[in-house]
């Protein structure tokens, strides 16, 4: 549900939503490592309940000045129940384990964004200030029950539990100045942010009655990070050319409270440039930029989190930021993109590396800054009007992914998308969407091909104020994930299947005016939010 309002110098909006979308998933793993073979099948049922809301209001101080504030909030309760079977074969006596896991989780987040915008002249020059506060937290409890069966050995049941808590707080403030002149446009700005991320994990006898936490920091970790950035850019239009270049400087300080696990600082310059040439209906754009990809905050945690008694996800406080060099070319004909060529070179990329502990018989996934990746992306697409009321859009892309480190692998792949839309009489409309992706390479895994087909039907009601729609997703039940991981002495094949074939019926009705345009709405999303993972 969403509502908007304009009254004099005031503007506002509100949006609230409730969601309950149960899911069911089957995952099959076949792993070969250290002379042993593991076959594991998990069936997971998830029951989520979500409530989220957004509120925003702005006030026009004068014809040139606006202030505003936005707030967001979310609550989520989730229950997951997993039942699985694991078979271990190889060097020892074959072992069969029945696995059960019950997970109860709760998560919440709140965000506050305040802004001030001052239009300096009639050309569009402006000065803006943005302040952001974002806080998120989660807590989850796991209960495990394992039943071991082995030839000539009595059955043995082992129960355990685990709980985990995470909290993150982000404070960000930035100033942006834009000066538009007849011959050029200048932009400059400053940003500062502070992040505190705290995680705790408590485990009870996952590997035996004598299980002990690693002394000092194994089950509690607090990471703090501060970033300062400043940028300057200039945009110069010529007769048939548009040229823009800029430079951004960033300084990052990251540490934990002990200064023993993480205590590093780094600074980089990030140049960027673009050139656009316009010749009648033809437009060519060349661009280059250097960027940084910092690790997820939860990936920096030094301890392990158990998915079950045989599979562990661990963090790595020694992760480095990844640096990317990005070049792109675009060709547009009559406002339609006909060709895109993109190249990305990524150094110190974070890759999930699998290892195996033969003593504890635990498979561990741990991120490591060992990747040196290259990607070529070539795409074309068109939007066609085949007949009155019938439109068709296509998109075809060819990719080349290469891993130079820690392996030497490369593979070509391609994707295709077809979207058809029909407009009929009396408010009826329909659409059809088909996708295909060929086998490809992603980091240290090879991905099998996948395809899906969806379609929908919609009928307008109440003189255009609402509609009734029905849509079916993945009609042939072909959407799934199938990968093969092979690095060092571990080879793992994973197949995931979920409730992708669904039917959804929706009813929409608009009360009052069909649309209220908010001219003062301003969006802000600090990049630090994208690094949160709960």
């Amino acid at each position: 549900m969403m509502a908007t309002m304009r009254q004099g110098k005031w503007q506002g909006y509100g949006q609230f939503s409730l969601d309950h979308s149960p899911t069911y998933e089957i995952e099959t793993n076949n792993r070969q490592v250290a002379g042993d073979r593991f076959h594991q099948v998990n069936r997971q049922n998830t029951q989520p309940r979500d409530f989220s809301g957004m509120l925003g209001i702005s006030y026009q101080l004068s014809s040139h000045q606006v202030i505003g504030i936005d707030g967001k909030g979310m609550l989520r309760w989730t229950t997951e129940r997993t039942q699985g079977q694991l078979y271990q074969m190889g060097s020892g006596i074959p072992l069969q384990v029945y696995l059960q896991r019950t997970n109860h989780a709760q998560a919440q987040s709140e965000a506050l964004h305040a802004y001030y915008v001052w239009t300096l002249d009639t050309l569009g020059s402006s000065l803006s200030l943005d302040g952001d506060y974002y806080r998120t937290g989660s807590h989850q409890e796991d209960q495990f029950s394992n039943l071991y069966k082995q030839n000539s050995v009595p059955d043995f049941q082992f129960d355990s539990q685990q709980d985990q808590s995470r909290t993150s707080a982000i404070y960000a403030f930035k100033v942006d100045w834009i000066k538009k002149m007849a011959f050029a446009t200048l932009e400059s700005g400053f940003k500062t942010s502070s992040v505190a991320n705290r995680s705790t994990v408590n485990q009870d006898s996952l590997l035996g009655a004598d299980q002990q936490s690693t002394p000092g920091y194994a089950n509690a970790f607090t990471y703090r990070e501060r970033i300062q950035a400043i940028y300057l850019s200039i945009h110069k239009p010529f007769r048939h050319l548009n040229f823009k270049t800029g430079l951004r400087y960033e300084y990052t300080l990251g540490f934990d409270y002990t200064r023993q696990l993480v205590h590093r600082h780094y600074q980089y310059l990030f140049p960027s440039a673009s050139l656009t040439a316009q010749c009648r209906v033809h437009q060519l754009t060349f661009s280059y930029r250097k960027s940084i990809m910092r690790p997820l905050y939860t990936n920096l945690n030094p301890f392990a989190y158990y998915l079950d008694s045989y599979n562990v996800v661990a963090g790595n406080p020694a992760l480095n930021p990844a640096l990317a060099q990005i070049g792109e070319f675009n060709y547009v004909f009559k406002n339609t993109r006909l060709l895109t060529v993109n190249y990305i070179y990524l150094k110190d990329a974070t890759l999930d590396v699998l290892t195996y502990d033969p003593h504890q018989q635990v498979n561990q996934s741990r991120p490591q800054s060992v990747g040196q990746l290259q990607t070529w992306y070539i795409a074309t697409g068109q939007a066609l009007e085949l007949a009155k009321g019938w439109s068709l859009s296509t998109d075809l892309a060819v990719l080349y992914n290469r891993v130079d480190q820690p392996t030497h692998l490369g593979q070509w792949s391609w994707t295709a998308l077809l979207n058809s839309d029909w407009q009929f009489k009396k408010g009826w409309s329909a659409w059809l969407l088909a996708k295909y992706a060929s086998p490809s390479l992603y980091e240290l895994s090879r991905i099998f091909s996948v395809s899906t087909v969806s379609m929908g039907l919609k009928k307008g009601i109440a003189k255009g104020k609402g509609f009734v729609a029905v849509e079916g997703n993945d009609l042939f039940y072909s959407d799934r994930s199938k990968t093969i991981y092979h690095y060092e002495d571990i080879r793992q094949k994973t197949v995931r299947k979920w409730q992708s074939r669904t039917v959804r019926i929706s009813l929409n009705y608009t009360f009052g005016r069909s649309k209220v345009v908010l001219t003062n709405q301003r969006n802000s999303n600090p990049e630090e939010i994208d690094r949160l993972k709960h």
Side-chain angles (χ1 to χ4, degrees), residues 65-227:
Q65 300 180 71
V66 174
I67 60 172
I69 189 169
D70 301 283
K72 301 178 183 179
M74 182 274 295
L75 285 173
R76 175 179 299 149
W77 300 268
T78 305
T79 299
E80 290 182 357
R81 290 182 171 86
T82 305
Q83 291 186 339
Q85 295 183 30
L86 181 141
Y87 302 90
Q88 180 180 355
M89 299 157 284
S91 57
I93 302 175
L95 174 67
Q96 182 178 2
V97 185
Y98 291 89
L99 307 170
Q100 288 188 351
R101 177 195 180 206
T102 302
N103 172 274
H104 298 283
Q106 180 177 340
Q108 66 278 337
S109 67
E110 53 265 359
L112 192 64
H113 170 227
Y115 61 91
Y116 167 78
V117 181
W118 182 13
T119 303
L120 301 175
D121 55 39
T122 57
L123 294 177
S125 302
S126 65
L127 175 68
S128 61
L129 287 75
D130 291 271
D132 288 276
Y133 167 73
Y134 188 89
R135 185 184 183 280
T136 181
S138 66
H139 178 79
Q140 59 183 30
E141 298 177 353
D142 295 285
Q143 294 179 344
F144 302 93
S145 180
N146 304 323
L147 179 62
Y148 298 86
K149 290 180 174 291
Q150 200 168 20
N151 292 337
S152 70
V153 176
D155 294 351
F156 172 72
Q157 181 166 329
F158 180 76
D159 298 329
S160 58
Q161 62 184 12
Q162 171 182 251
D163 64 83
Q164 176 179 249
S165 297
R166 295 173 181 166
T167 59
S168 300
I170 299 174
Y171 301 87
F173 177 76
K174 67 173 183 174
V175 179
D176 295 292
W177 174 72
I178 302 175
K179 178 60 178 178
K180 292 189 176 182
M181 298 169 285
F183 62 92
T185 298
L186 294 175
E187 297 183 27
S188 66
F190 167 79
K191 176 190 172 182
T192 180
S193 66
S194 176
V195 179
N197 188 81
R198 177 174 174 80
S199 299
T200 60
V201 171
N202 296 308
Q203 300 156 354
D204 175 21
S205 300
L206 273 170
L207 299 176
D210 58 347
Q211 170 77 12
Q212 299 291 330
S213 299
T214 303
Y217 57 81
N219 62 345
F221 180 72
T222 299
Y223 174 75
R224 300 188 68 91
E225 185 179 83
R226 296 165 186 165
I227 301 176

Side-chain angles (χ1 to χ4, degrees), residues 57 91 125 129 174 262-263 267 331 346 352 360-362 379 398 412 414 421 435 441 446 493 498:
I57 191 169
S91 57
S125 302
L129 287 75
K174 67 173 183 174
V262 182
H263 188 204
Q267 53 188 342
Y331 170 54
L346 196 60
D352 288 326
Q360 297 181 340
Q361 296 185 338
V362 171
V398 177
W412 287 94
W414 62 280
D421 184 81
K435 300 178 183 179
L441 175 69
R446 294 193 179 275
K493 181 179 179 181
W498 54 90

Side-chain angles (χ1 to χ4, degrees), residues 5 171 217 347 444 469 494:
M5 175 272 294
Y171 301 87
Y217 57 81
K347 183 180 180 182
L444 300 176
T494 303

Side-chain angles (χ1 to χ4, degrees), residues 394-446:
T394 61
D395 191 272
L396 178 66
V398 177
L399 300 92
Y400 178 72
N401 292 320
R402 179 166 182 82
V403 182
D404 294 322
Q405 291 181 3
T407 62
H408 300 281
L409 299 174
Q411 182 171 340
W412 287 94
S413 61
W414 62 280
T415 63
L417 181 147
L418 177 69
N419 188 9
S420 186
D421 184 81
W422 295 271
Q423 299 292 329
F424 304 111
K425 296 180 180 181
K426 297 183 179 180
W428 287 92
S429 62
W431 57 268
L432 174 70
L433 177 65
K435 300 178 183 179
Y436 174 79
S438 73
S440 60
L441 175 69
Y442 178 73
E443 296 182 356
L444 300 176
S445 299
R446 294 193 179 275

Side-chain angles (χ1 to χ4, degrees), residues 307-381:
L307 302 178
D308 55 53
S309 297
Y310 286 85
N311 296 279
V312 174
V313 177
N316 184 1
L319 290 177
N320 296 319
L323 296 176
Q325 311 278 351
I326 304 172
E328 187 168 292
F329 165 76
N330 280 285
Y331 170 54
V332 176
F333 176 72
K334 291 184 178 180
N335 297 321
T336 300
R337 185 212 64 172
L338 293 185
L339 179 64
T340 294
V341 180
N342 179 277
Y343 172 76
I344 301 176
Y345 173 78
L346 196 60
K347 183 180 180 182
D348 289 334
T350 298
L351 307 182
D352 288 326
V353 178
L354 300 182
T355 58
Y356 178 70
D357 185 340
H359 176 68
Q360 297 181 340
Q361 296 185 338
V362 171
N363 301 282
Q364 178 175 274
S365 174
R366 189 169 188 256
Q368 298 184 21
S369 298
V370 295
Q372 185 172 308
L373 313 177
Q374 297 185 64
T375 300
W376 282 96
Y377 173 82
I378 305 172
T380 183

